[in-house]
Amino acid sequence: EQDDFINDVYDSLQKQKIEIELLHSESAPGQIEIVLPYQNNVMKIADHIVLARETIKVCAKKHNLHAIFLPKVFDSQAGNGMHVHLSLTSCDESASRNLFFDSDSNDDDKLLSDEGEAFLEGILRHLKALLSLTMPTVNSYRRVGPGCWTGHSVCWMVEEKESPLRVCLDLESGEATNVEFKLIDSTCNIYLALAGILFAGLDGLHQHMKLRSPEISGDDSDRLPQSIEESLQCLSDDTLLCSLLGKSLTKSYIAVKKAESNYSASRSLSDEVDDAMKR
């Protein structure tokens, strides 16, 4: 039955010209992973994410199944993220090149280019506030923590699944090619989430930020928000991201998310799953 459903999802997405790089079962009961391929049009990938999600829901109903996208469904099983891979390339289409890696550097120990380091540091500087956009629900914070392959501190590492920002290397050349942002799930508004992540990275580039070391200091400065309420406070304090959203949207967004949080505060994981099944 699951194979028929997966085949239906694949065929339905192909008809909409939504390419699929990978579609397979994952570790948790009934869990399926779908990977959309790289493309340089951010709005198009955001559209495809929304369309793919709605298509999956429709196909599930056809097979008498429920497709739910909660970050956490089973308390003792892997959760559902929506990891995003980001790369930096030159704008010269005739000779496009990877800007994460500095091929002209004489420093063999320097993994990332200055641009790549600045981009990462920009995201890290704003990471606490970004969570209000990328993990905007009470359920979102049930998925993250030590041992959950999501990261739980403000840090970056190379090919480390426990880091919120994972620098990925090419298997053949060993060059840094992209960074995986893990602290994001399907309860977010993907347009706001991607805008926030990219805006933060560009802030790093504009200010020529120096990348911190990958080691975690262990003090409170590295501690990520433990709830949507904490991340919303970080958003309120983040001048850059508030300027991105604008005064009106910032005020409305925070008010709506606080109301949702107040409603969900007394609800159990089972209640959240029941609600999702009814939608």
Side-chain angles (χ1 to χ4, degrees):
E1 178 63 33
Q2 185 166 287
D3 288 344
D4 292 340
F5 164 66
I6 290 177
N7 289 335
D8 194 9
V9 168
Y10 181 86
D11 292 340
S12 298
L13 292 176
Q14 289 290 294
K15 290 176 182 177
Q16 298 173 74
K17 301 188 185 308
I18 298 177
E19 296 298 321
I20 300 168
E21 188 172 284
L22 193 64
L23 179 60
H24 65 97
S25 297
E26 261 290 355
S27 60
Q31 188 178 47
I32 294 172
E33 179 181 28
I34 180 170
V35 179
L36 302 183
Y38 165 83
Q39 59 176 288
N40 57 12
N41 186 323
V42 178
M43 285 296 292
K44 190 173 182 179
I45 192 65
D47 289 344
H48 282 186
I49 288 170
V50 174
L51 291 170
R53 187 164 56 211
E54 294 305 308
T55 300
I56 290 168
K57 289 180 180 179
V58 171
C59 290
K61 286 184 178 180
K62 285 170 56 179
H63 293 268
N64 296 316
L65 300 170
H66 289 280
I68 56 178
F69 295 86
L70 279 179
K72 197 68 171 177
V73 178
F74 302 103
D75 187 52
S76 59
Q77 298 286 344
N80 301 306
M82 189 172 63
H83 298 181
V84 173
H85 286 258
L86 307 162
S87 60
L88 288 176
T89 57
S90 62
C91 295
D92 185 357
E93 295 184 2
S94 63
S96 180
R97 63 187 182 89
N98 170 27
L99 295 182
F100 258 124
F101 179 77
D102 187 358
S103 58
D104 297 325
S105 175
N106 294 320
D107 186 351
D108 293 336
D109 295 326
K110 186 175 175 60
L111 181 65
L112 296 168
S113 65
D114 291 342
E115 293 91 343
E117 290 187 352
F119 186 79
L120 258 66
E121 182 61 29
I123 295 175
L124 290 168
R125 292 268 184 100
H126 299 282
L127 185 57
K128 295 182 181 183
L130 280 172
L131 296 194
S132 65
L133 303 178
T134 62
M135 291 171 39
T137 64
V138 169
N139 186 272
S140 296
Y141 294 81
R142 299 184 189 275
R143 180 179 74 94
V144 301
C148 294
W149 289 2
T150 57
H152 54 282
S153 300
V154 180
C155 70
W156 69 278
M157 293 184 184
V158 178
E159 294 293 5
E160 172 55 63
K161 292 184 178 295
E162 280 296 320
S163 174
L165 282 182
R166 177 174 74 101
V167 173
C168 304
L169 306 181
D170 182 86
L171 292 176
E172 294 183 3
S173 67
E175 297 179 1
T177 56
N178 63 87
V179 60
E180 180 183 21
F181 186 101
K182 294 186 174 186
L183 293 171
I184 181 170
D185 62 54
S186 290
T187 63
C188 77
N189 178 316
I190 189 59
Y191 300 95
L192 294 182
L194 289 180
I197 295 169
L198 292 174
F199 207 57
L202 290 174
D203 183 46
L205 284 171
H206 291 158
Q207 296 195 49
H208 306 285
M209 293 181 184
K210 299 300 182 182
L211 181 62
R212 67 194 69 188
S213 67
E215 289 79 17
I216 303 172
S217 66
D219 58 32
D220 286 343
S221 64
D222 286 332
R223 177 181 174 275
L224 283 172
Q226 303 298 297
S227 66
I228 179 61
E229 292 89 349
E230 283 189 41
S231 64
L232 287 172
Q233 183 58 55
C234 292
L235 176 62
S236 297
D237 297 336
D238 193 303
T239 304
L240 181 89
L241 291 182
C242 286
S243 71
L244 169 67
L245 298 176
K247 184 179 296 185
S248 179
L249 181 54
T250 299
K251 182 178 179 180
S252 300
Y253 184 86
I254 291 175
V256 169
K257 292 305 171 184
K258 283 185 175 179
E260 291 176 353
S261 175
N262 290 336
Y263 170 76
S264 300
S266 61
R267 299 184 67 75
S268 66
L269 176 58
S270 178
D271 293 332
E272 291 173 333
V273 173
D274 286 343
D275 288 344
M277 294 284 282
K278 294 173 184 176
R279 295 192 189 114

